[in-house]
Amino acid sequence: MPFLLAHGPRRKRSAPPPPSATLPLPGSPVGAGSSGGSVGTGSSGSESGPSPHRSTFRPDIEGLRAVAVLAVLAFHAQIPGTAGGFVGVDVFFVISGYLITGLLVREAIATGRIRLGDFFSRRARRLLPSAAVVLAAVAVAGAWLTVPLLRADLEQDVLAAALSVANWRFVSQQTDYLAAGHDQSPLLHFWSLAVEEQFYLFWAPLLAVIVLVAARAVRRGRAVRAVVALTTAAVALASFALSLHWTRDSVSLAYLGTPSRVWQFAVGALLALLPWHLLRGPRPLRLVCGWAGAAAIVWCVVSYDASTPYPGYAALVPTLGTAAVILAAIPGRGEREAQGAHGVGRLLSGRAFRAVGRLSYNLYLWHWPVLVLAEARLGALGWPAKTALTLAAALPALATMRWVEQPLRRSRTVSELPRRGLAVGISAIVLPVVLALVVGTTTLHLMGPATPVDAKGLPPGAAAGPSLLARADGSPLADGPLVPGPAQARKDFPPDGACQVAPAVTHSPECLFGAVDSPDRVVLLGDSHAGQWFSPLLALASQRGWALQELVKQGCPLPELTVRNPQLGREYRECDTWRADALDRLRTGPKPRLIVIASLNRYTADRELLSAAWEKTLKPLRATGAPIVYIEDTPVPGTDIPACVSGAPDSTAACAFSRAEAVPADELARRITAGAVPGVRSVGVNQVLCPGNGPTCPAVRDRILLYRDDAHLTNVAAIVLAPRLERLLTESGALPPAGVPAPAPSAAPGADGWTELLRDDFDGPANSRPSPAHWSYDLGTCYPGCPAPRWGTGEIETMTDSTDNVRLDGKGALEIVPTREGEQWSSGRITTVRSDFAPPPGGVLRIEASIALPDVTGPKAAGYWPAFWTLGADLRDGYTGWPGVGELDVMESVNGRDAFFGSMHCGVLEGGPCEEPVGLTSGPQACADCRGAFRTYAVEVDLTPGAEEVRWYLDDRVYHRVRADAMDAGTWKRAVDHGVFLILNVAVGGKLPEADGATVGPATEPGHPMRVDRVRVSVKGRAG
């Protein structure tokens, strides 16, 4: 801030000062907001004399400082209508450039050099003692008012602020200053003081060098001003160009970085350097200039907000507005002052504005810590309370000015020698540094180690049940420390190196882990909420000898949404580029064994937009043919969990957070469950992260600290969730059990001439799911978009992927089981992943399954409808075109009859060659032992020239035929000469059971499975 020169009368010295001291020290009234120097050699009106903006006191600048600090205070207090108050900092920067440059150049003209020792001594004793008092107070108050983890962060902030590098600390944290009202650092505002101190360290030595070069010029004043003005203009242009670049690419760097702010100091410097004093200018023009500048500043305060790209071009308005106010009151040739009776400077020179201006530095220092520490103690406050606290901050500000700033500034002993002022400044740095080190070290000692957690020593997680950790005997866990501790949790990231790429990166590295040479790989795809699953997925892949590839980008939604990135401060174009690149790599690269996707589900609240965005992403993923699993988004606490827990290590229940806000409806998971997203399965662990149905979710479970910040799981939590995730993925059919290789089809014809395309004997552990390499699920009550509600047949069940409905029995068979809960029926319907099963040209396709029908009959079987059938591949593209795409019902049975039948559907919806909607059916085929006993049902599509037909078999007996000559050639070709996919399901109710004379009723008994011993698809005959 430009609190560079002090106010009030200066005490006279007993001895005359040396020539270099004819420039006023900070105690002089000349320095109270003016350019701060007395007249040097030469007349004020000469071109080669001292600065034309002579040292006459500028009360309007003192008042302008009041406007700047009031804008910042109103912004931080969140007073309505002042969302752009952050531009007050820009006003300070311009004033600072004007005052400091004028001071230095006048000294150079008057004495031929710049005494850097004197300059920095004045700055040190003027600025640093008050800052040291505030930093010390914050270091001590933070130990009382903040929780330990935030206290440790705060002491680091104190160190950075004391060393004048606070802005770079906050840049490294990618702080968005425009949301400063919600930031918890009481020293965030020290970023601007750091920028100003860094400007002094750069600018004063630079001008000193220029003066040395120009000192021998005949007309020294003109030479110094000309060279400095040219240098200043070049620096301003370069800095402004950098500011525009960084505003596009990194809002925190642009806002907080010193290089991108130097141009605003340079604008003020040019005001002090250029010969404005030679321009008399009509007073009306000055009047308009001053008021227009003031209006520009006020307009920015009320019009700008957090969405304004800043600084960038937007910063030109308050910067040039401030310059206009200063310029309007620069005296012209022969003028003593240029305020005018109606100029804005007259208003700013009023006693009230000047009083606030004199207090502005200390008020700026104190107000923000008061606000933040009060909220740390009392909770979130509204703007009236914040306004009251801001006004109350005037009390410590006045005390600091009265008993710290003014005594040191006016001290004859301190001001007599530059080294004494520098000693005061160094002491003002050392005091808060020592306090910060003492308090910070003590805090870290109390919190325990911050070293990484040893993942090998973690307790095993539970694969099922309500507990997070496995307990062999069901006993409660013994007391012990939290794992990870709060300090550890902050750094408990997945060990994936640089694979969660930063916002500016548009291409992920290869990022292969585990068995990197394996042809089988799991792909982890999404944003940082996908990245948190790195460790468990690496373990699961490694157990199977697979590789894990991570394609993850921070803050980048996996659904195809265009969003704004807060770190970059603009539209997240890099995200769109990265997403397209990742999807293209999956499309053109080797087919993954499994694709796991996850993403924060809060990028938009528009459900329709989100659904459309997901579909744009899922379409190319489905085209890979790999199983896709979506991991439901985990809870988002919205508060700093490690910090909260650090303050309540023995009562972590105090850190529980709202379930409603943390676990909103997951739209994609809902649509997957409803069957609206084909080819994608959904799993979730929120039942253990946020158990029960109460109003809150825990921050800690079974001594495991679950979250590393306000939104992500700790790596420890993810690791102990690995067994549960493995069970869910295995049950979903997406992951084969460890040690059980997926079956591979034979590529060569067997001894009987048949080439096997698919064979599944349904081997696997009991209650696991069928192989995801072969099978996927149809879910809900209709196909995506619901072109035919209730599956088009009037069924009443909801199809699920639960092992209650679809499971392996552990003895080599698949079970599809209808279940009932209350009045709601559920069942299972699985389809082959492949949809390209087709007879070779001139050859034969055979589809068969060994099936035992549900062992139930009579009223208990009313509404049972087990089936094994196929549909044309084209149906998956929009789920329309039935029955023209062809349907072959290999086996159907209804109502527990001792009979089954086969059918063919084709042509048109009503009538046609396939006599729809009944189809070309075999009619009931008696089979007394088909219930409970395995029988082989098969269909063959024979395209042998001259013998084209479809044949149905029970075991080896043909019981039904449909010949090609039963319909026109076009209908036949559309029905059978293409790829198909297979379906196994047990429906409940619907038109066919009703047509057979039975409906689902109270007597219908759930729980009787259709059992499938094997499924086999093979081809024979001419190929190509």
Side-chain angles (χ1 to χ4, degrees):
M1 314 298 285
F3 307 106
L4 312 172
L5 305 172
H7 320 282
R10 176 184 169 191
R11 295 181 181 176
K12 295 182 179 180
R13 295 184 179 180
S14 57
S20 63
T22 57
L23 292 174
L25 294 175
S28 71
V30 172
S34 73
S35 51
S38 60
V39 178
T41 59
S43 66
S44 65
S46 69
E47 293 182 8
S48 60
S51 172
H53 319 306
R54 50 192 179 274
S55 60
T56 304
F57 174 59
R58 288 284 302 271
D60 60 313
I61 291 183
E62 193 169 63
L64 186 58
R65 288 164 59 183
V67 171
V69 78
L70 289 173
V72 173
L73 266 56
F75 167 59
H76 285 164
Q78 298 181 326
I79 296 176
T82 61
F86 53 83
V87 301
V89 174
D90 304 64
V91 177
F92 282 129
F93 287 164
V94 177
I95 296 174
S96 185
Y98 175 71
L99 299 178
I100 282 297
T101 304
L103 176 70
L104 293 173
V105 170
R106 273 194 305 278
E107 180 182 4
I109 294 171
T111 67
R113 60 176 178 167
I114 294 175
R115 295 178 181 269
L116 294 179
D118 285 349
F119 173 77
F120 287 116
S121 174
R122 293 193 295 270
R123 302 287 74 73
R125 76 172 190 263
R126 168 66 180 92
L127 299 176
L128 298 182
S130 293
V133 170
V134 173
L135 291 176
V138 169
V140 173
W144 172 50
L145 295 172
T146 60
V147 296
L149 192 55
L150 292 182
R151 189 184 313 153
D153 292 341
L154 175 58
E155 303 311 325
Q156 294 183 49
D157 292 346
V158 171
L159 286 173
L163 297 173
S164 296
V165 292
N167 61 323
W168 297 114
R169 170 166 167 78
F170 295 126
V171 166
S172 70
Q173 295 174 337
Q174 295 187 321
T175 301
D176 181 2
Y177 180 74
L178 299 184
H182 304 290
D183 197 285
Q184 292 303 304
S185 173
L187 300 176
L188 180 61
H189 64 320
F190 266 74
W191 77 268
S192 63
L193 304 179
V195 168
E196 187 144 350
E197 293 293 344
Q198 292 160 30
F199 170 71
Y200 297 159
L201 291 172
F202 155 75
W203 194 238
L206 176 63
L207 295 192
V209 171
I210 293 173
V211 168
L212 286 176
V213 174
R216 297 185 180 181
V218 177
R219 308 197 71 175
R220 187 171 62 206
R222 177 186 297 172
V224 168
R225 284 199 302 275
V227 175
V228 173
L230 289 174
T231 302
T232 302
V235 168
L237 290 174
S239 173
F240 184 65
L242 183 62
S243 175
L244 297 180
H245 173 69
W246 280 354
T247 300
R248 288 191 300 269
D249 294 337
S250 175
V251 66
S252 60
L253 189 59
Y255 199 98
L256 304 172
T258 304
S260 57
R261 291 293 193 159
V262 165
W263 70 274
Q264 295 178 300
F265 294 94
V267 168
L270 290 173
L271 288 175
L273 291 168
L274 298 180
W276 309 106
H277 65 296
L278 298 179
L279 304 175
R280 296 183 62 86
R283 285 193 178 275
L285 182 60
R286 292 189 179 189
L287 190 72
V288 172
C289 178
W291 282 109
I297 296 171
V298 173
W299 180 81
C300 292
V301 170
V302 300
S303 300
Y304 287 2
D305 57 26
S307 66
T308 304
Y310 211 82
Y313 287 108
L316 282 170
V317 181
T319 301
L320 298 180
T322 304
V325 174
I326 296 173
L327 179 62
I330 292 178
R333 188 195 302 269
E335 293 180 326
R336 185 172 181 82
E337 59 90 18
Q339 297 290 353
H342 305 291
V344 69
R346 187 67 67 187
L347 174 65
L348 295 175
S349 300
R351 294 181 63 182
F353 278 103
R354 289 178 57 192
V356 176
R358 283 191 293 273
L359 187 62
S360 56
Y361 177 53
N362 288 286
L363 188 55
Y364 182 85
L365 288 176
W366 277 105
H367 84 284
W368 183 245
V370 168
L371 287 175
V372 174
L373 292 175
E375 285 201 309
R377 193 69 172 179
L378 304 175
L381 302 172
W383 73 266
K386 287 187 174 184
T387 302
L389 286 169
T390 301
L391 294 174
L395 296 177
L398 282 167
T400 305
M401 184 176 72
R402 172 68 179 82
W403 289 306
V404 177
E405 175 191 310
Q406 291 180 346
L408 286 172
R409 191 185 69 231
R410 295 172 178 174
S411 171
R412 184 173 180 180
T413 302
V414 173
S415 61
E416 205 166 33
L417 295 173
R419 65 174 179 268
R420 295 174 182 171
L422 293 174
V424 169
I426 293 173
S427 300
I429 293 173
V430 171
L431 173 64
V433 166
V434 170
L435 273 174
L437 290 174
V438 170
V439 175
T441 302
T442 303
T443 300
L444 290 175
H445 178 73
L446 291 174
M447 283 196 301
T451 53
V453 177
D454 181 7
K456 296 179 181 179
L458 293 176
S467 298
L468 180 65
L469 299 181
R471 305 176 199 176
D473 58 358
S475 61
L477 294 172
D479 292 336
L482 296 180
V483 182
Q488 294 172 309
R490 277 283 178 82
K491 301 177 181 179
D492 195 29
F493 293 91
D496 53 359
C499 289
Q500 294 193 41
V501 296
V505 180
T506 58
H507 178 84
S508 284
E510 188 65 18
C511 288
L512 280 174
F513 300 86
V516 296
D517 296 327
S518 171
D520 297 315
R521 62 192 170 104
V522 179
V523 174
L524 177 58
L525 178 66
D527 63 4
S528 59
H529 278 229
Q532 65 188 358
W533 296 112
F534 171 83
S535 292
L537 286 177
L538 177 59
L540 301 185
S542 298
Q543 290 170 6
R544 290 157 177 79
W546 299 356
L548 173 67
Q549 182 177 30
E550 184 180 29
L551 301 176
V552 168
K553 183 171 176 62
Q554 299 170 9
C556 180
L558 186 55
E560 195 170 314
L561 294 167
T562 298
V563 295
R564 188 177 187 274
N565 182 273
Q567 282 76 37
L568 300 177
R570 55 167 172 77
E571 184 179 281
Y572 201 0
R573 298 185 295 272
E574 290 83 355
C575 172
D576 299 332
T577 303
W578 174 87
R579 187 192 306 111
D581 176 77
L583 294 175
D584 186 65
R585 288 168 68 176
L586 292 176
R587 179 183 63 84
T588 59
K591 177 182 175 181
R593 286 293 297 269
L594 174 63
I595 299 175
V596 177
I597 61 175
S599 182
L600 181 72
N601 63 9
R602 298 174 180 233
Y603 290 105
T604 178
D606 187 329
R607 288 190 173 188
E608 292 185 3
L609 176 64
L610 183 60
S611 296
W614 268 117
E615 187 55 36
K616 290 177 183 177
T617 297
L618 292 173
K619 184 175 181 180
L621 289 179
R622 279 194 291 261
T624 65
I628 304 168
V629 174
Y630 169 66
I631 301 181
E632 296 176 25
D633 195 21
T634 50
V636 177
T639 187
D640 190 338
I641 293 297
C644 178
V645 170
S646 74
D650 300 323
S651 182
T652 56
C655 298
F657 48 90
S658 168
R659 176 192 297 269
E661 296 178 5
V663 194
D666 191 317
E667 182 63 15
L668 180 59
R670 184 193 66 79
R671 295 182 67 243
I672 292 173
T673 302
V677 187
V680 183
R681 280 152 271 190
S682 175
V683 300
V685 296
N686 287 352
Q687 294 83 355
V688 71
L689 292 176
C690 189
N693 54 8
T696 62
C697 299
V700 174
R701 289 214 68 198
D702 292 349
R703 300 202 319 270
I704 301 296
L705 181 50
L706 298 177
Y707 303 94
R708 69 172 186 253
D709 49 26
D710 63 349
H712 300 88
L713 297 178
T714 58
N715 191 52
V716 167
I719 289 173
V720 299
L721 283 166
R724 189 176 300 266
L725 187 63
E726 179 176 28
R727 176 183 64 81
L728 293 170
L729 291 173
T730 304
E731 289 181 353
S732 75
L735 192 70
V740 178
S746 170
D752 57 359
W754 290 95
T755 299
E756 196 171 79
L757 302 181
L758 168 70
R759 183 184 180 98
D760 196 338
D761 292 308
F762 299 111
D763 295 321
N767 291 316
S768 62
R769 300 191 181 196
S771 167
H774 296 328
W775 303 97
S776 61
Y777 292 80
D778 285 336
L779 300 173
T781 59
C782 56
Y783 287 116
C786 233
R790 298 170 66 183
W791 301 112
T793 57
E795 303 165 27
I796 66 171
E797 84 290 339
T798 297
M799 296 298 186
T800 82
D801 59 359
S802 169
T803 52
D804 291 339
N805 299 118
V806 182
R807 61 180 177 244
L808 303 184
D809 67 356
K811 301 176 182 179
L814 169 74
E815 295 183 335
I816 300 180
V817 191
T819 60
R820 181 176 62 198
E821 185 174 347
E823 299 298 321
Q824 177 61 52
W825 284 85
S826 299
S827 190
R829 173 172 165 145
I830 62 172
T831 68
T832 52
V833 172
R834 292 181 60 177
S835 59
D836 60 349
F837 300 122
V844 183
L845 168 72
R846 179 179 174 88
I847 298 167
E848 66 181 54
S850 176
I851 299 173
L853 296 179
D855 193 10
V856 60
T857 190
K860 295 181 180 180
Y864 267 71
W865 182 4
F868 173 46
W869 47 302
T870 75
L871 284 171
D874 288 347
L875 193 72
R876 281 183 169 170
D877 185 14
Y879 295 93
T880 59
W882 188 91
V885 297
E887 175 182 327
L888 299 177
D889 299 326
V890 187
M891 184 285 302
E892 291 186 89
S893 179
V894 294
N895 298 327
R897 307 287 189 197
D898 289 332
F900 68 94
F901 52 88
S903 304
M904 177 176 178
H905 296 274
C906 68
V908 294
L909 286 171
E910 297 289 339
C914 279
E915 303 173 9
E916 298 301 341
V918 175
L920 300 178
T921 180
S922 67
Q925 304 291 306
C927 185
D929 63 347
C930 286
R931 285 186 292 105
F934 286 106
R935 303 291 297 271
T936 299
Y937 303 87
V939 66
E940 290 181 355
V941 180
D942 190 346
L943 299 185
T944 303
E948 295 173 281
E949 66 177 5
V950 179
R951 297 181 292 270
W952 281 258
Y953 294 81
L954 174 62
D955 296 330
D956 294 324
R957 177 179 66 85
V958 175
Y959 68 87
H960 182 47
R961 298 174 187 267
V962 174
R963 300 185 184 277
D965 57 13
M967 61 196 71
D968 63 274
T971 299
W972 171 260
K973 184 175 181 65
R974 285 192 297 273
V976 300
D977 194 4
H978 52 65
V980 299
F981 59 93
L982 282 56
I983 304 109
L984 286 161
N985 73 278
V986 177
V988 180
K991 297 176 182 177
L992 196 56
E994 290 174 3
D996 185 62
T999 59
V1000 179
T1004 305
E1005 190 171 271
H1008 296 280
M1010 177 177 77
R1011 303 175 66 230
V1012 185
D1013 179 63
R1014 73 174 184 279
V1015 171
R1016 181 173 184 257
V1017 180
S1018 50
V1019 293
K1020 182 179 182 180
R1022 284 197 306 164

